[in-house]
Every structure is written in structure tokens, then in C-alpha cells.
Amino acid sequence: MISRRALEISTAALTGIFGIAVVVSSIDNGIGWSSAGVDAGTFPFLTGTIVVLGSLYNLAQGALGRGTLASVKVALTRSELGRLAGLFVPAAIFVAAIPILGMYLASAGYVFAVLALPKRQSVLHALVIAAVTPVVLYVVFERLFQVSLPHGALAAAFGF
């Protein structure tokens, strides 16, 4: 079981890390004014600073146990955590597989995994949808919009 306090503190820490990364990369791009006007990193710097400040506020609220839902002791039960992992783990594998398999094969695998493995659809139905998904992605992005999605190392090995 995960307590509400632990969930709020970890979320505030993650958003704070994201905000710090935005601030640091914005400084690399330049903040302030130049002869051409506002530098490229100024707006992301301000946005990242707001995210960091909001994260610090949320971190303090979570650590002190303040807020309207502070009395909630358990935010996620074991079964809810399992359902959440059932969504997050396939998505993380999908993102990790894109550089290797490419967007098309990775999306087919992802669609099959989220439909067939938790028994939401029959295997045959999941296979059909998984086969149609990369075809639709290809037609929409490569042909209609003329935007190339990542083909991955596997496609590069076969010369695509």
C-alpha cells in the first residue's frame, strides 16, 4: 500500500526534477535579451522556474500533511497498484522498444500487449487490431502528412 503522503512527496520530487532539467537546459540555450530579441531559453526558463516553485510548495504540503485529503492514509491499494502497473509497464516497454523496433512494430506489440495479455480481447481480435495499427500509422504519417516516424535499428539493418 502506498500512503497519500508518500505519493504526494514522490510526485512533487519528480515534477521538481523535471523543472530543474528545463531550467538547466534553458540556461544552455540562453536566457535574457539579445540583439535579435528574447533569447530562446527565456520562456522555458520561466516555465521551469514556475514548475520548480510549485513542486517545492507541493513537497512542503505533502511533507507537512496539509490539504483537503491529508486524512487519507492509503492512496493506492495493492490491487490498484497492479492495475496501474498494467498500464505503465507496457507503455515503458513500448517507449524503450521504439529505437530498436521502430514505431510501427513497437506500436503493434504495444496494442497486442494491452489488448490480449490482460484478457480484454480475444487473441485473434488483438492480433487483427495490432496488425492494422502500424498500417494506419504508416498511411497517415508517412503518406498523408509526409512525416517519417522512427523506423528503428531493425529497419536500418534491413536497409529501410
Side-chain angles (χ1 to χ4, degrees):
M1 291 190 250
I2 298 176
S3 69
R4 176 152 181 103
R5 176 177 279 182
L7 197 59
E8 286 185 3
I9 290 172
S10 61
T11 302
L14 286 173
T15 57
I17 290 168
F18 172 75
I20 290 170
V22 169
V23 167
V24 169
S25 75
S26 297
I27 292 171
D28 289 341
N29 288 330
I31 57 174
W33 291 92
S34 67
S35 61
V38 179
D39 281 336
T42 303
F43 180 72
F45 176 80
L46 295 173
T47 304
T49 302
I50 291 169
V51 169
V52 169
L53 292 174
S55 297
L56 289 173
Y57 176 80
N58 288 337
L59 184 66
Q61 293 294 321
L64 296 175
R66 294 185 182 162
T68 57
L69 297 174
S71 62
V72 176
K73 298 296 181 200
V74 176
L76 285 175
T77 63
R78 184 174 296 275
S79 65
E80 291 170 335
L81 188 60
R83 290 178 56 206
L84 184 64
L87 291 173
F88 177 75
V89 171
I93 292 170
F94 168 64
V95 170
I98 290 172
I100 300 163
L101 300 177
M103 181 64 80
Y104 304 113
L105 290 177
S107 65
Y110 174 73
V111 168
F112 179 77
V114 297
L115 291 178
L117 296 182
K119 306 285 189 217
R120 289 194 181 108
Q121 300 285 329
S122 70
V123 174
L124 180 62
H125 193 249
L127 278 172
V128 169
I129 295 173
V132 168
T133 299
V135 172
V136 170
L137 285 173
Y138 178 80
V139 168
V140 169
F141 287 100
E142 299 272 346
R143 294 294 174 208
L144 296 177
F145 293 140
Q146 296 181 351
V147 174
S148 180
L149 296 178
H151 294 274
L154 183 64
F158 286 109
F160 291 104

